Each structure stands twice: as structure tokens, then as C-alpha cells.
Amino acid sequence: MFKLPEAWVWDFWTVDDGERYHLFFLYASRALKDPHARHHRASVGHAVSTDLVTWERVTDALVRSDAPAFDDLATWTGSVVQHPDGRWFMFYTGARLNEAGANVQSIGYAVSTDLYVWDKAPGPVLEADARWYEKFADGNWHDEAFRDPWVFEDPDGEGWHMLITARANHGDVVDRGVVGHAWSADLETWELREPLSQPGAGFGQLEVLQPFIVDGRQVLLFNCMVGDMPEAARAEGVAGGVWIADAKSPLGPYDIAGAQVVDDPTLYVGKFVADRVTGETRFLAFVHDRDGAFVGEITDPYAVSWEGDRLRLS
């Protein structure tokens, strides 16, 4: 496992530069004592590997900005893609506290030529828009959810798409989780669009989205704790965690209501990674809970296989 003795490690994302895998991860000092406090102290660390098992930690990628800024509280989860001109773009979540003390999230990016040294662009480049998305002013949740940007090229070569953890501006308060959506021609200027899914699928939020093809099958990976699901799901004893939904394409439609949860309830924020040697799909996640205590470390890669409609880890 990738773990740090001095810090908790949780959400992460990876990119393959052709020679090494790069792991970008959120971390915060264990000196905080309360693991819930980590969210307001998160920085983005960086490690590299040739096999997804043995990792070498290198210089951190991002830290929060000086106030006032959209990311002056913490830097949260994102993704990395390479521009056709060779530059690497890291899209990430900026967190700040508003006048009411609520966590407001928006999205910015940083640019690198080598994946090691990152320069932030002025931000944010995207914020929640009340035309489609819930704002904190609605008073329904403790935060304004607009985070976890996952960026990928358009399947038809027409620019870039971003999937975003967001909530719709209508529907049952605890059932508003949707796949937020934005589009860009150049990775620098972004156009926010309406969600790619509808509320009412059974989730208060769809965290850390990732579309992926697993053994020829298009899926959407997302995450949701049972505490962020409607009361009916909790009453039925549904276990929250890492979820996998069938999809027609990376842009949907998605069968979110029919999503299956990964069997291991200790895991959270799953990610699929292509093994460059074998071409096989691997699965990583961070260990969230063990015996009622927060753990905060990233697993070694699992092999994956389908058993009917369920994904099995081994």
C-alpha cells in the first residue's frame, strides 16, 4: 500500500507519461488528530512508480493559495490530461469558506511541462450555476458541491469534456446527485452545461467520477457513502462506497439507479488504471474505514473481472 506515517492519504488520481505512473493524492498531517479535519488542510502530493506497487514520493504538486482566493482553504481532487502541444493540465477543486462558514467549491487548473512543477492559472474557471446546479444559498446541504473534475477528450475529437460532482437545483434534497458537465475547445476556456444525468437516482452526490471501459464494457465509476443517500436506501441496509454504473458512452446515458457497489465496504474513491505492460485493467482505492477508524492509505492494484453484472476484485 502507499501510506505515509505522518499523514492521512485519501482521494487520488493517476496519469501515465509513457515511462512512469504518476500518483497525485490528497494528504493532511495526522497531527490534526481528528481525521475529519483533514478536509480543510488538504494539499496535493505526488509520487511516481513503474509498476503501480512501489512508489517514490517526490515534491508536492499543489498547496492552497493565499487568501482571498477560490482555493485558499484547501486543494481537492482532480485529474490530469496532456494538451496536444505537450503541456500537462491538472484540473483540481478549490475550496474556500464563504461568509456563513460554508465550504464552497469551484474548479481551477495548473499547467506543467514535466508533471513535477505546476503553475496555477488564475481561477476559478468553473463555478456552480443556479440555472442547473444547487447553490449553498438554497440551504439544503452544509456545502456547495462543485468538485472532482474529471477531464477527457471528446470521443469524436471535438474538444474536451469535464465531469463534475454536483447537485441539481431541484428534487428531493438527499437525492440530487448528478453528473455535472462542462466543455472546452482548448482546456483553458470552459463552458458549463446542464448535467448529463437527472436527480432521483438514489444518491445525494456522485463523488470522484471516472468513465472507463472495463473488458469492453463502458462504465461510470463514482463514490457515495450511505450517509449521503436517501433514507429509504439506509433503511434497506444498503452499503455505501465505490459504485459502478453501466453507460452507453463516457457522456452517458448512465444507469445510475442500477449501479452496483464494489463488495469491499472499507474502500472509497476507486480508480481504474490501464496496465501499460499487459493492457489489463487494474483497480486502486483508498482504505477509508477499518474497525470503525479512518485509515487513509492507498491500496496496491487489484485485478478485476466481471461476474455477471458485478465487478469482482482479486
Side-chain angles (χ1 to χ4, degrees):
M1 291 185 174
F2 178 77
K3 55 185 178 181
L4 302 176
E6 77 282 7
W8 294 296
V9 176
W10 64 106
D11 292 16
F12 65 95
W13 56 101
T14 66
V15 67
D16 184 350
D17 70 5
E19 296 181 0
R20 296 177 182 85
Y21 301 99
H22 293 255
L23 174 74
F24 298 97
F25 56 90
L26 303 190
Y27 78 95
S29 174
R30 295 179 187 268
L32 292 167
K33 296 183 173 61
D34 178 4
H36 295 290
R38 73 188 190 277
H39 296 296
H40 288 189
R41 296 292 187 273
S43 298
V44 179
H46 183 192
V48 294
S49 173
T50 57
D51 60 5
L52 297 172
V53 175
T54 302
W55 295 94
E56 175 192 356
R57 189 176 180 185
V58 295
T59 303
D60 288 349
L62 295 177
V63 296
R64 65 182 182 177
S65 297
D66 293 333
F70 80 101
D71 60 352
D72 59 24
L73 179 67
T75 50
W76 285 359
T77 314
S79 59
V80 173
V81 294
Q82 189 171 29
H83 191 281
D85 67 10
R87 291 178 298 160
W88 298 92
F89 279 63
M90 179 185 293
F91 295 88
Y92 70 98
T93 306
R96 67 176 179 86
L97 296 181
N98 67 8
E99 297 78 6
N103 188 310
V104 174
Q105 301 137 32
S106 52
I107 293 167
Y109 72 86
V111 179
S112 174
T113 58
D114 61 4
L115 289 168
Y116 289 89
V117 178
W118 295 90
D119 295 311
K120 291 181 180 179
V125 294
L126 284 168
E127 301 175 273
D129 188 321
R131 288 178 295 170
W132 304 300
Y133 300 102
E134 181 183 271
K135 303 284 285 183
F136 175 75
D138 296 339
N140 295 316
W141 285 72
H142 63 281
D143 67 348
E144 183 172 304
F146 199 78
R147 62 181 183 273
D148 306 338
W150 186 264
V151 175
F152 58 94
E153 290 188 75
D154 181 89
D156 298 320
E158 298 179 3
W160 303 78
H161 295 274
M162 180 189 295
L163 305 187
I164 305 162
T165 293
R167 289 188 285 266
N169 62 4
H170 63 283
D172 185 342
V173 169
V174 294
D175 201 358
R176 290 188 174 190
V178 292
V179 180
H181 181 217
W183 178 85
S184 174
D186 58 7
L187 292 177
E188 296 180 352
T189 302
W190 287 85
E191 172 191 315
L192 186 61
R193 296 180 174 180
E194 62 185 293
L196 294 174
S197 68
Q198 297 298 315
F203 300 93
Q205 53 188 1
L206 310 173
E207 295 196 284
V208 195
L209 298 145
Q210 184 195 24
F212 205 87
I213 297 176
V214 182
D215 293 341
R217 184 171 175 173
Q218 179 72 60
V219 298
L220 179 70
L221 194 68
F222 66 93
N223 304 264
C224 187
M225 295 291 194
V226 68
D228 294 325
M229 299 175 68
E231 185 61 39
R234 303 179 216 176
E236 292 173 1
V238 173
V242 185
W243 297 82
I244 300 173
D246 283 328
K248 294 295 185 183
S249 80
L251 296 169
Y254 316 108
D255 182 18
I256 293 171
Q260 301 285 335
V261 69
V262 170
D263 289 337
D264 190 339
T266 70
L267 303 180
Y268 205 62
V269 180
K271 279 289 193 306
F272 291 122
V273 180
D275 186 313
R276 93 162 66 83
V277 176
T278 67
E280 297 175 328
T281 298
R282 303 299 184 208
F283 176 88
L284 291 82
F286 84 82
V287 182
H288 182 275
D289 178 273
R290 186 180 293 132
D291 299 325
F294 183 76
V295 177
E297 56 192 34
I298 298 174
T299 66
D300 285 341
Y302 291 90
V304 301
S305 60
W306 291 105
E307 188 176 294
D309 288 335
R310 299 197 70 86
L311 189 78
R312 299 300 183 189
L313 308 179
S314 60

